[in-house]
Amino acid sequence: MQRNLKMNLFYSPGACALASQIALREAGMNFEMVKVDLKNKEYAGGDYKKVNPKGYIPALQLPDGHLMTEGAVILQWIADQAPDKNLLPKFGTMERYKAMEWLNFIATEVHKGIGSLFNSAHMNDETKAAIQAKIQLRLGVLDQHLLSNAYMLGENFSVVDAYAYNVLRWTNLVHVDTTNHKGIQGLMAKMAERASVKEAVAAEGIRL
């Protein structure tokens, strides 16, 4: 896949396509952002579910028309198109499987946990407290790892960091306390200084 062939990234401001956008910018790939109204499942071209039957984002439409969904998979695909950027270890290596392990952990344990609090209006206090407690346990795992690693895979940035940044920036929005997680705070500070992150949040009209 040539990097100069334009792709369409379907997104909603501040949602989980932010990681894919950051990765695309890090890889130097040519893409156009297509905004989706997730509530009504619509975009400028009409019914979004005709594009992605799942109805959510991210979705990346490749130049040949193929549609790729699921953020953790999209991130790996992007990284593999730009091997010279070292956005992920080479496929088949133990380092790559560790990266996949972290991507899966973020997707299933952090993303889903924090994301559930965006729909907390129907929850009672006991349920909210239980979710908050579980999130803190999962954040503790990330924090301990980041206390001894500059980035999720060690000393260098990878697309795993893009995903971590994407979901961790939601903590302020849903009142998840990270003040005692110095490792996480360190990662977020480093990410906020990256050009790709600054460009991505500006493109979506959101804050760092």
Side-chain angles (χ1 to χ4, degrees), residues 34-143:
V34 183
K35 189 175 181 179
V36 177
D37 177 349
L38 290 177
K39 181 179 180 180
N40 296 307
K41 310 300 181 187
E42 295 177 347
Y43 74 112
D47 183 359
Y48 177 59
K49 293 194 77 174
K50 290 183 178 179
V51 177
N52 179 11
K54 295 175 180 176
Y56 54 73
I57 51 98
L60 185 65
Q61 190 171 46
L62 307 185
D64 62 6
H66 281 91
L67 188 77
M68 186 173 295
T69 65
E70 304 305 326
V73 174
I74 292 173
L75 290 172
Q76 292 185 71
W77 182 87
I78 293 169
D80 288 339
Q81 306 313 300
D84 57 307
K85 300 292 185 178
N86 297 313
L87 298 175
L88 274 181
K90 185 178 179 180
F91 194 81
T93 63
M94 183 53 65
E95 290 79 10
R96 178 59 170 264
Y97 291 116
K98 291 300 294 184
M100 293 164 67
E101 180 182 327
W102 280 120
L103 284 170
N104 197 62
F105 177 80
I106 294 169
T108 60
E109 300 297 325
V110 185
H111 182 163
K112 291 300 182 184
I114 297 174
S116 69
L117 293 176
F118 283 108
N119 300 303
S120 64
H122 66 284
M123 299 177 186
N124 59 38
D125 291 343
E126 183 179 356
T127 299
K128 291 178 185 177
I131 292 173
Q132 286 275 5
K134 185 175 181 180
I135 291 171
Q136 287 299 326
L137 288 174
R138 302 302 184 254
L139 293 184
V141 173
L142 288 180
D143 191 61

Side-chain angles (χ1 to χ4, degrees), residues 174-186:
V174 294
H175 309 294
V176 171
D177 186 11
T178 62
T179 54
N180 292 324
H181 297 306
K182 303 306 181 185
I184 287 174
Q185 290 181 358

